[in-house]
Amino acid sequence: GQNIDQPTEMTATEGAIVQINCTYQTSGFNGLFWYQQHAGEAPTFLSYNVLDGLEEKGRFSSFLSRSKGYSYLLLKELQMKDSASYLCAVRDKAGTALIFGKGTTLSVSS
Amino acid sequence: DGGITQSPKYLFRKEGQNVTLSCEQNLNHDAMYWYRQDPGQGLRLIYYSQIVNDFQKGDIAEGYSVSREKKESFPLTVTSAQKNPTAFYLCASSIDQGANTEAFFGQGTRLTVV
């Protein structure tokens, strides 16, 4: 079966760094995506990994290890507006839809 | 402005009635998707379409139907057979379903069945 696991909730303070982990067991692998979703709104695309290693995009970075079925999203210099749910999604093979984890709700406090 | 439009944002229906949720995109994307989101459940795939006049069932297709008569439109009908229809419904599209193509989401329709 297909399974994507993330922690349900995390808390952090403004200015800090937080790492959100995602592990996956899927029948194949054709890319891993991270999305941000504020309450009641649409998910917005943050990053994409298909090869092992780190992809950096401003304050956000995402890492992938295909052999371990593991990814993380790293958020630096946290701001209050980063309080949101972070969704990990995998495309297991070309021509199919993304499979999403249940999301991690991040609360940033001052 | 290019994007995906879902309407309406909030929808109320009586139990036993069918209801159709609209999804339109002007991004010229081939692939379109419908997901359902419940608290604590993440996004679950209902149906997806790779091309006009073709669509495939997702993990929770029972009680739902779709059509893809035009490239820009992918309406979802929630039928009376769907046992628990109250949820947040998200439509998405991507250029195609290749490996590195992200999905872009509409603003969602929150359906409440009473």
Side-chain angles (χ1 to χ4, degrees):
Chain A
Q2 319 277 45
N3 195 44
I4 300 175
D5 285 318
Q6 309 175 230
T8 303
E9 294 180 341
M10 298 184 70
T11 59
T13 53
E14 238 179 335
I17 299 173
V18 71
Q19 177 175 311
I20 302 174
N21 296 325
C22 171
T23 58
Y24 63 90
Q25 298 94 38
T26 52
S27 55
F29 181 79
N30 223 307
L32 186 142
F33 299 76
W34 283 96
Y35 283 81
Q36 180 190 61
Q37 185 181 27
H38 286 98
E41 297 183 8
T44 54
F45 170 74
L46 288 178
S47 69
Y48 166 74
N49 296 74
V50 68
L51 299 176
D52 290 353
L54 189 68
E55 293 283 341
E56 297 189 76
K57 249 189 194 182
R59 293 191 300 117
F60 293 6
S61 305
S62 57
F63 171 83
L64 175 68
S65 168
R66 287 172 298 170
S67 62
K68 295 182 179 175
Y70 168 69
S71 173
Y72 67 73
L73 181 69
L74 193 71
L75 291 74
K76 302 175 190 172
E77 301 168 14
L78 279 173
Q79 302 174 10
M80 298 293 284
K81 68 177 182 179
D82 297 329
S83 293
S85 285
Y86 291 86
L87 311 176
C88 174
V90 172
R91 177 168 279 128
D92 63 345
K93 51 185 181 237
T96 62
L98 295 180
I99 306 161
F100 281 84
K102 293 184 178 181
T104 300
T105 300
L106 174 66
S107 300
V108 179
S109 59
S110 57
Chain B
D1 279 329
I4 303 175
T5 302
Q6 289 187 243
S7 60
K9 189 166 183 177
Y10 299 96
L11 192 53
F12 295 87
R13 277 296 181 270
K14 290 186 178 178
E15 199 171 331
Q17 290 180 333
N18 291 357
V19 60
T20 298
L21 280 58
S22 168
C23 178
E24 304 276 331
Q25 54 98 359
N26 60 6
L27 300 167
N28 201 32
H29 285 175
D30 282 326
M32 296 187 75
Y33 317 85
W34 275 105
Y35 289 91
R36 168 181 171 142
Q37 189 173 34
D38 296 281
Q41 290 290 326
L43 273 66
R44 293 184 290 166
L45 182 67
I46 305 173
Y47 270 97
Y48 65 101
S49 167
Q50 295 175 267
I51 201 166
V52 174
N53 292 323
D54 184 55
F55 46 83
Q56 286 79 41
K57 292 182 179 179
D59 300 321
I60 56 167
E62 187 176 345
Y64 299 98
S65 66
V66 292
S67 63
R68 187 87 188 275
E69 295 175 4
K70 299 185 294 182
K71 187 175 185 177
E72 58 269 23
S73 178
F74 192 39
L76 173 75
T77 297
V78 184
T79 75
S80 56
Q82 168 50 231
K83 301 208 184 313
N84 227 352
T86 295
F88 188 46
Y89 289 88
L90 285 160
C91 179
S93 71
S94 61
I95 294 174
D96 54 31
Q97 286 184 295
N100 65 342
T101 55
E102 73 266 29
F104 295 85
F105 284 85
Q107 290 301 307
T109 293
R110 191 166 296 280
L111 173 65
T112 303
V113 176
V114 295

